[in-house]
Structures are given as structure tokens and as C-alpha cells.
Amino acid sequence: MSASGGTKAIVAALSANLAIAVAKFVAFLFSGSSAMLAESVHSLADSGNQGLLLVGGKRAQRQATPQHPFGYGRERYIYAFLVSIVLFSVGGMFAIYEGYEKIKDPHEIEHWYWPVGVLVFAIIAEAFSFRTAIKESNPLRGKQSWSQFIRRAKAPELPVVLLEDLGALVGLVLALGGVGLALATGNGVWDGVGTLCIGVLLIVIAIVLAAETKSLLLGESAGVDEVRKIEAAMVDGDTVTRVIHMRTLHLGPEELLVAAKLAVRHDDTAAEVAAAINAAEARIREAVPIARAIYLEPDLYDEAAAKRGTNPGMTPAPDSSPH
């Protein structure tokens, strides 16, 4: 996995979640708090998710084969989508079930210092993991807002870890609130309410992750800046006079396919056209290094045909809206 895949952030989140899961489960055994049980399952699900991201990053590095000539870069999207399924089913639905059961049959929390102490420890550990994910994301985020970064990032790992860590921190606060209210009122129903809130939170995050990774799985074009750089690199003003139309597609976070039809002068020789196409490919790779699969077709530009739509004269603008 490349550096942009956020391996350091994934490992930090995995280490924190494994330690937190053990601590939460011990606290559940001593206190009987449903919120602690839901949170321990949540941390186990998060640990499994980080494992999935690491496996996906490793498998995506496999070399292309005749059956998969463009490689396995999209495996990272598949494993990120699996994360959303695990978060929804194992984390969210289990928490809702536990919350419902606790509200239906409430009981007092025992040994209150266990859940409170573990939740405080977990908040500190998750904050460290969240800080690592933010630090890893900032160089890639640039001037984008956090919501724009999560919606537009082509590498899925960092957005997944960011959302998971944010959800974990909010969930811990909800669990602490539920346990605190149950202790203050002596009514175990509040513990169940906190657990229900955790479940709803996890399901919302899972739906957001599923929507984002679905767009990546379907295939997204290059970003606006990359498209402009590629178009500028194609035209030399001599042999290649304009881009008739172009399509781009991410084969993976760090691999881009570029297919374009270029207008050349009608009196150029075949050798001159071939040299111009090769030069255009070299300029594209220099301008946008992740453009690795490039297919350029020379043609004569026909303005009348372009107006009729049979020889389109414009490249569709890349979608800059959310996925």
C-alpha cells in the first residue's frame, strides 16, 4: 500500500481498538452495562475493519494478469465497501439489539468505576488514533474541507479510518453519558438508551461509507486539476491541435486510465503523427504520474460533425460534486 493509503493511521487505529476492545469487555463483565458490551463489539468490528483495509491494500499490489490486465487496484475499494457492511451489521445492528433488550429489561450497573474508567481510557486512546489519522490526511487534503476530502478522496483508507475514529469518539461520549445517567438516576434504562444511540450512529456512518465506496467501485474520473493538466499536456500546438474528446477512469487510487481522441493536421505524415502521439503520452505521464494506461487516437477535427454530436468537440467536465 502506498503512503497515501494511510498505513500508519490504519495500524494506529488497529492497535488502539484491540486494546480498547479488551478493556471494554472486561468492564462489561464486571458492570453488566449494555453500553459497554455494545462498545466492545464496536471496537472488535473496527479492529476487523482495519484488518480488512490492510488485506485490501496488500492484495491491490498484485501484478496484472491476462485475466485482469489493468491490475488489482480496485480491491482497495472492495475491502473498504466490506468495512461499511461489517460496521452496519456487527456494530450498528448489534448495538440496537442490545439497547432494546436493556430498555425492555433494565438492571442497575454494578461496579460503576469499571465502565467509567475504561471509557475515559478509551476516549484518550481513540483521540490519539484520530489525531494520527488527521495528521496523515492533512497533506492529501490540501485546501479542501474535511467533508470534501472524505467525499472526493480516491484512496479509501484514510476517509474510512477518519469516520471510524470520529464515530468511536462520539460513541464513547454517548456510552459515558448513558452510564452516567444510569448511575445518577439509578435507572438502567438510560444505559440502554445510550446503547441505542451508539447503534444509530454506527449505522449512519456505515451508510455514508457505503455511498462513498460505491461511487469508487463504479469508477470515477480524474479530479478537475488532473483533467486540466492532462488536456494541457496533450496539445503541442504543432501536430496535436486540440483534444476532440477524452475519458479518464481510476483503475485504483494511484492508477489512472486516459483515453482520448486528438486532432492532428491533415497534411502531417504518419511518422509525424506517431511521434506526436508518443510525445503527448510522455508529457501526460510527466504532468500526472498516476496516468499509467494511456490510449490516444489521432483524428481530423470536423467542426460540423462536432456540432451534430457525431464528433464531439468537448470533453465532459469531471464531476466535482459529492459522490
Side-chain angles (χ1 to χ4, degrees), residues 15 30 68 92 125 134 136 144 151 182-183 195 203 234 244 252 260 279 296-297 309 322:
S15 302
F30 279 96
H68 299 92
I134 289 173
E136 289 280 292
Q144 298 178 91
R151 286 193 292 255
L183 292 172
T195 308
I203 287 175
M234 286 180 180
I244 297 175
L296 305 181
E297 178 187 354

mmCIF file of all heavy atoms in Angstrom, residues 15 30 68 92 125 134 136 144 151 182-183 195 203 234 244 252 260 279 296-297 309 322:
data_model
loop_
_atom_site.group_PDB
_atom_site.id
_atom_site.type_symbol
_atom_site.label_atom_id
_atom_site.label_comp_id
_atom_site.label_asym_id
_atom_site.label_seq_id
_atom_site.Cartn_x
_atom_site.Cartn_y
_atom_site.Cartn_z
ATOM 1 N N SER A 15 -4.218 -0.906 16.596
ATOM 2 C CA SER A 15 -3.618 -1.107 17.919
ATOM 3 C C SER A 15 -4.522 -0.550 19.020
ATOM 4 O O SER A 15 -4.751 -1.202 20.044
ATOM 5 C CB SER A 15 -2.246 -0.432 17.970
ATOM 6 O OG SER A 15 -1.390 -0.934 16.968
ATOM 7 N N PHE A 30 -17.690 -6.960 34.579
ATOM 8 C CA PHE A 30 -17.783 -6.519 35.969
ATOM 9 C C PHE A 30 -19.028 -5.670 36.236
ATOM 10 O O PHE A 30 -19.534 -5.656 37.356
ATOM 11 C CB PHE A 30 -16.535 -5.728 36.358
ATOM 12 C CG PHE A 30 -15.370 -6.597 36.727
ATOM 13 C CD1 PHE A 30 -14.403 -6.917 35.790
ATOM 14 C CD2 PHE A 30 -15.242 -7.100 38.013
ATOM 15 C CE1 PHE A 30 -13.332 -7.723 36.121
ATOM 16 C CE2 PHE A 30 -14.173 -7.908 38.353
ATOM 17 C CZ PHE A 30 -13.206 -8.233 37.407
ATOM 18 N N HIS A 68 -6.854 -10.138 -15.617
ATOM 19 C CA HIS A 68 -7.063 -8.804 -15.059
ATOM 20 C C HIS A 68 -5.938 -7.895 -15.562
ATOM 21 O O HIS A 68 -5.002 -7.570 -14.822
ATOM 22 C CB HIS A 68 -7.080 -8.842 -13.527
ATOM 23 C CG HIS A 68 -8.175 -9.682 -12.955
ATOM 24 N ND1 HIS A 68 -8.018 -11.012 -12.650
ATOM 25 C CD2 HIS A 68 -9.473 -9.373 -12.679
ATOM 26 C CE1 HIS A 68 -9.156 -11.496 -12.182
ATOM 27 N NE2 HIS A 68 -10.055 -10.525 -12.189
ATOM 28 N N GLY A 92 -23.554 -1.666 14.266
ATOM 29 C CA GLY A 92 -24.798 -0.917 14.432
ATOM 30 C C GLY A 92 -25.981 -1.768 14.856
ATOM 31 O O GLY A 92 -26.660 -1.468 15.844
ATOM 32 N N ALA A 125 -7.358 6.923 24.123
ATOM 33 C CA ALA A 125 -6.738 6.103 23.085
ATOM 34 C C ALA A 125 -7.311 6.423 21.702
ATOM 35 O O ALA A 125 -6.566 6.533 20.718
ATOM 36 C CB ALA A 125 -6.933 4.618 23.400
ATOM 37 N N ILE A 134 -5.781 12.303 11.300
ATOM 38 C CA ILE A 134 -5.843 13.695 10.831
ATOM 39 C C ILE A 134 -4.481 14.135 10.299
ATOM 40 O O ILE A 134 -4.381 14.768 9.237
ATOM 41 C CB ILE A 134 -6.299 14.613 11.985
ATOM 42 C CG1 ILE A 134 -7.777 14.369 12.303
ATOM 43 C CG2 ILE A 134 -6.076 16.081 11.631
ATOM 44 C CD1 ILE A 134 -8.273 15.109 13.523
ATOM 45 N N GLU A 136 -2.102 12.257 9.082
ATOM 46 C CA GLU A 136 -1.824 11.572 7.823
ATOM 47 C C GLU A 136 -2.648 12.146 6.668
ATOM 48 O O GLU A 136 -2.214 12.143 5.523
ATOM 49 C CB GLU A 136 -2.137 10.084 7.971
ATOM 50 C CG GLU A 136 -1.161 9.319 8.837
ATOM 51 C CD GLU A 136 0.098 8.952 8.095
ATOM 52 O OE1 GLU A 136 0.050 8.122 7.183
ATOM 53 O OE2 GLU A 136 1.149 9.548 8.416
ATOM 54 N N GLN A 144 -9.021 21.512 0.823
ATOM 55 C CA GLN A 144 -10.393 21.010 0.895
ATOM 56 C C GLN A 144 -10.887 20.985 2.342
ATOM 57 O O GLN A 144 -10.103 20.824 3.274
ATOM 58 C CB GLN A 144 -10.467 19.586 0.343
ATOM 59 C CG GLN A 144 -10.089 19.424 -1.113
ATOM 60 C CD GLN A 144 -10.154 17.978 -1.532
ATOM 61 O OE1 GLN A 144 -11.179 17.498 -2.010
ATOM 62 N NE2 GLN A 144 -9.072 17.260 -1.362
ATOM 63 N N ARG A 151 -15.476 12.982 0.696
ATOM 64 C CA ARG A 151 -16.307 12.693 -0.475
ATOM 65 C C ARG A 151 -15.489 12.493 -1.743
ATOM 66 O O ARG A 151 -15.893 11.731 -2.618
ATOM 67 C CB ARG A 151 -17.317 13.829 -0.697
ATOM 68 C CG ARG A 151 -18.465 13.836 0.305
ATOM 69 C CD ARG A 151 -19.580 14.762 -0.159
ATOM 70 N NE ARG A 151 -19.161 16.153 -0.132
ATOM 71 C CZ ARG A 151 -19.554 17.023 0.789
ATOM 72 N NH1 ARG A 151 -20.344 16.639 1.764
ATOM 73 N NH2 ARG A 151 -19.162 18.281 0.750
ATOM 74 N N ALA A 182 -27.484 6.548 34.026
ATOM 75 C CA ALA A 182 -27.975 5.360 34.729
ATOM 76 C C ALA A 182 -27.493 5.352 36.181
ATOM 77 O O ALA A 182 -28.248 4.987 37.094
ATOM 78 C CB ALA A 182 -27.495 4.100 34.005
ATOM 79 N N LEU A 183 -26.263 5.773 36.411
ATOM 80 C CA LEU A 183 -25.729 5.827 37.777
ATOM 81 C C LEU A 183 -26.388 6.942 38.580
ATOM 82 O O LEU A 183 -26.696 6.772 39.768
ATOM 83 C CB LEU A 183 -24.205 6.039 37.736
ATOM 84 C CG LEU A 183 -23.374 4.868 37.193
ATOM 85 C CD1 LEU A 183 -21.917 5.294 37.015
ATOM 86 C CD2 LEU A 183 -23.481 3.658 38.110
ATOM 87 N N THR A 195 -26.954 2.951 24.469
ATOM 88 C CA THR A 195 -26.591 1.882 23.543
ATOM 89 C C THR A 195 -27.331 2.026 22.214
ATOM 90 O O THR A 195 -26.753 1.832 21.138
ATOM 91 C CB THR A 195 -26.901 0.511 24.172
ATOM 92 O OG1 THR A 195 -26.311 0.440 25.465
ATOM 93 C CG2 THR A 195 -26.368 -0.618 23.318
ATOM 94 N N ILE A 203 -24.779 2.983 12.274
ATOM 95 C CA ILE A 203 -25.499 2.718 11.029
ATOM 96 C C ILE A 203 -25.403 3.913 10.080
ATOM 97 O O ILE A 203 -25.208 3.744 8.869
ATOM 98 C CB ILE A 203 -26.971 2.364 11.336
ATOM 99 C CG1 ILE A 203 -27.042 0.965 11.939
ATOM 100 C CG2 ILE A 203 -27.831 2.456 10.083
ATOM 101 C CD1 ILE A 203 -28.418 0.554 12.389
ATOM 102 N N MET A 234 -1.494 17.297 -23.613
ATOM 103 C CA MET A 234 -1.725 16.637 -24.896
ATOM 104 C C MET A 234 -1.430 17.545 -26.085
ATOM 105 O O MET A 234 -0.866 17.117 -27.096
ATOM 106 C CB MET A 234 -3.179 16.157 -24.978
ATOM 107 C CG MET A 234 -3.487 14.939 -24.133
ATOM 108 S SD MET A 234 -5.228 14.492 -24.343
ATOM 109 C CE MET A 234 -5.328 13.077 -23.265
ATOM 110 N N ILE A 244 -10.180 16.362 -29.035
ATOM 111 C CA ILE A 244 -11.541 16.220 -29.528
ATOM 112 C C ILE A 244 -12.448 15.727 -28.404
ATOM 113 O O ILE A 244 -13.493 16.310 -28.131
ATOM 114 C CB ILE A 244 -11.592 15.258 -30.734
ATOM 115 C CG1 ILE A 244 -10.756 15.846 -31.890
ATOM 116 C CG2 ILE A 244 -13.037 15.022 -31.187
ATOM 117 C CD1 ILE A 244 -10.640 14.930 -33.086
ATOM 118 N N GLY A 252 -7.538 2.419 -9.814
ATOM 119 C CA GLY A 252 -7.185 2.274 -8.407
ATOM 120 C C GLY A 252 -6.830 3.658 -7.910
ATOM 121 O O GLY A 252 -6.784 4.621 -8.689
ATOM 122 N N ALA A 260 -8.227 9.154 -25.238
ATOM 123 C CA ALA A 260 -8.573 10.424 -25.873
ATOM 124 C C ALA A 260 -8.435 10.336 -27.381
ATOM 125 O O ALA A 260 -7.657 9.530 -27.914
ATOM 126 C CB ALA A 260 -7.685 11.541 -25.331
ATOM 127 N N ALA A 279 5.008 11.664 -28.010
ATOM 128 C CA ALA A 279 5.418 12.820 -27.213
ATOM 129 C C ALA A 279 4.303 13.250 -26.268
ATOM 130 O O ALA A 279 4.555 13.637 -25.115
ATOM 131 C CB ALA A 279 5.825 13.974 -28.133
ATOM 132 N N LEU A 296 -4.264 6.942 -26.963
ATOM 133 C CA LEU A 296 -4.528 8.153 -27.729
ATOM 134 C C LEU A 296 -4.773 7.792 -29.193
ATOM 135 O O LEU A 296 -4.010 7.023 -29.790
ATOM 136 C CB LEU A 296 -3.346 9.123 -27.620
ATOM 137 C CG LEU A 296 -2.919 9.521 -26.195
ATOM 138 C CD1 LEU A 296 -1.750 10.494 -26.250
ATOM 139 C CD2 LEU A 296 -4.085 10.120 -25.426
ATOM 140 N N GLU A 297 -5.816 8.376 -29.749
ATOM 141 C CA GLU A 297 -6.184 8.119 -31.147
ATOM 142 C C GLU A 297 -6.146 9.427 -31.935
ATOM 143 O O GLU A 297 -6.852 10.377 -31.590
ATOM 144 C CB GLU A 297 -7.583 7.512 -31.226
ATOM 145 C CG GLU A 297 -8.058 7.273 -32.659
ATOM 146 C CD GLU A 297 -9.509 6.840 -32.719
ATOM 147 O OE1 GLU A 297 -10.123 6.621 -31.655
ATOM 148 O OE2 GLU A 297 -10.046 6.733 -33.839
ATOM 149 N N GLY A 309 -22.794 16.360 -32.902
ATOM 150 C CA GLY A 309 -22.595 15.404 -31.818
ATOM 151 C C GLY A 309 -21.979 14.107 -32.252
ATOM 152 O O GLY A 309 -21.751 13.212 -31.437
ATOM 153 N N PRO A 322 -20.232 15.963 -4.805
ATOM 154 C CA PRO A 322 -20.023 14.790 -3.949
ATOM 155 C C PRO A 322 -20.388 13.514 -4.691
ATOM 156 O O PRO A 322 -21.168 13.506 -5.618
ATOM 157 C CB PRO A 322 -20.985 15.047 -2.780
ATOM 158 C CG PRO A 322 -21.175 16.517 -2.750
ATOM 159 C CD PRO A 322 -21.126 16.953 -4.176
#
